[in-house]
Structure formats: C-alpha cells, structure tokens
C-alpha cells in the first residue's frame, strides 16, 4: 500500500477525531488536530488563544478587548496578521509542512482543501445520524440532552461556515472528499478498516 496523507473532516459527535487517532496508530503515522494551532502559534509568535478553533470570529477585536478587561490593547492587536484569513494562512502553512514531512493524519482545519493539489491525499468526511452523535457527545459533555443537541448543531454550523469562508465550498458536499463514511453504521473500527481498504485499492489502481 502506498503511503498517504489522510485528512479527516467530521461532524461533532461522529467520532472523527477518535477515528483519526485510531487510524494513525494503525498505520504507524502521526496525527495532528489542535496540535496544528500550537505549531502555528510557535511559528508565527502569535498566542495560541488567538487562533480560531475551526470557527470564524467576526467580533475578534471586541473579544480581545474583553479579554484585556478595559486595559490598553497591545500595539499590534489590530494588525492584519490577527485577522481570520491571516491566522488561517499560518495554519495552512503548517499543514503543508506536515504533509511534506511524510504520511500523517490531519484532523479538521480544512486540510482537504489546503492539500487539494496533492495526489497522495485521501480526503475523508466522517458523519453519523443524530442519535449516534448525541450518544457520543453525551459521553464527553456533562450537560442536559437539550444543551448537548444545541452544542452539536452549533459546532457543526461553526465548522461549515469556517469551511465555506476559507474554501468557498460546502462542507457537506461529498464531492470535496474521496470517502464519506457513516460511523454510526460501521463503528469506529469499521471506519478505520474502510479507509485502510480504500487506500489499498487506490494504491493498486495508481500502480497501473
């Protein structure tokens, strides 16, 4: 099987992050999710707290002012490099560097779009039905069901808007991915197996 870079987009509660970590362990390659923010922060010198976690922050400066609680802002707080697009570019730079280093699993952060020109990328979207997402999210969030349901909808909306803003495409559009897999049907192990089998078949066709 050829080595691949796997990107994973995922609905909240579908277990996409867990699948990504499991897949990386199965393949013996590193996995990166929020670690990308840490690396982008270290590379740019910008505090990691200022990077968005797959959501747009139109009220960026207002929130920053609130964080400083009325104190004067740092002189560079309004510079272009603190805007959403610039912060995304820092993360995209890290994603490209990680891909250049070799096979890995990249979770979220529009990695499928950032690496769209590469032929060695497998783009995966993990989704599940509402009941499954609720069940998985309830294991993590100690909140009433109604609050968890609201959180799932909110985070998926954040991610879809973030994806639309930075790629110009629909996050839910299957044409953006090589595989769209229902984790509620296959389970996490089954999703990992499906991705591995896909890579094996694809390797055979690319060798022809």
């Amino acid at each position: 099987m050829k080595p691949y870079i796997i990107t994973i987009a995922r609905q909240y509660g579908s277990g996409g992050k867990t699948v990504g970590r499991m897949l990386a362990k199965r393949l013996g390659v590193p996995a990166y999710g929020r670690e990308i923010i840490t690396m982008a922060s270290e590379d740019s010198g910008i505090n990691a707290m200022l990077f968005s976690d797959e959501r747009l922050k139109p009220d960026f400066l207002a929130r920053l002012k609130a964080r400083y609680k009325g104190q004067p802002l740092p002189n560079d707080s309004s510079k272009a490099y603190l805007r959403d697009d610039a912060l995304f570019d820092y993360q995209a730079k890290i994603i490209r560097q990680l891909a250049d280093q070799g096979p890995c699993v990249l979770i979220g952060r529009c990695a499928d779009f950032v690496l769209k020109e590469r032929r060695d990328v497998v783009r995966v979207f993990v989704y599940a039905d509402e009941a499954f997402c609720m069940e998985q999210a309830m294991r993590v969030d100690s909140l009433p069901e109604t609050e968890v349901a609201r959180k799932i909808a909110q985070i998926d909306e954040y991610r879809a808007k973030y994806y639309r803003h930075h790629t110009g495409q629909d996050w839910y559009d299957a044409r953006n991915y090589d595989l769209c897999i229902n984790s509620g049907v296959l389970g996490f192990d089954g999703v990992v197996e499906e991705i591995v089998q896909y890579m094996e078949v694809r390797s055979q066709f690319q060798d022809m």
Side-chain angles (χ1 to χ4, degrees), residues 125 163 169-177 180:
F125 185 84
Y163 192 89
Q169 299 174 5
D170 183 355
W171 186 56
Y172 291 103
D173 191 338
R175 291 172 294 184
N176 296 325
Y177 312 101
C180 294

Side-chain angles (χ1 to χ4, degrees), residues 17-38:
K17 180 171 70 174
T18 299
V19 165
R21 303 288 180 184
M22 290 172 61
L23 178 63
K25 185 176 181 180
R26 166 83 175 268
L27 299 175
V29 302
Y32 303 99
R34 285 191 59 84
E35 294 89 345
I36 293 170
I37 289 180
T38 302

Side-chain angles (χ1 to χ4, degrees), residues 95-133:
I95 288 170
R96 294 188 186 97
Q97 289 177 346
L98 292 172
D100 286 341
Q101 291 173 12
C104 60
V105 176
L106 300 166
I107 303 167
R109 276 111 199 133
C110 304
D112 57 284
F113 178 82
V114 173
L115 302 176
K116 63 180 181 178
E117 303 300 331
R118 297 184 63 120
R119 290 176 50 81
D120 59 346
V121 177
V122 174
R123 299 166 181 83
V124 179
F125 185 84
V126 181
Y127 68 98
D129 59 77
E130 183 179 350
F132 183 84
C133 289

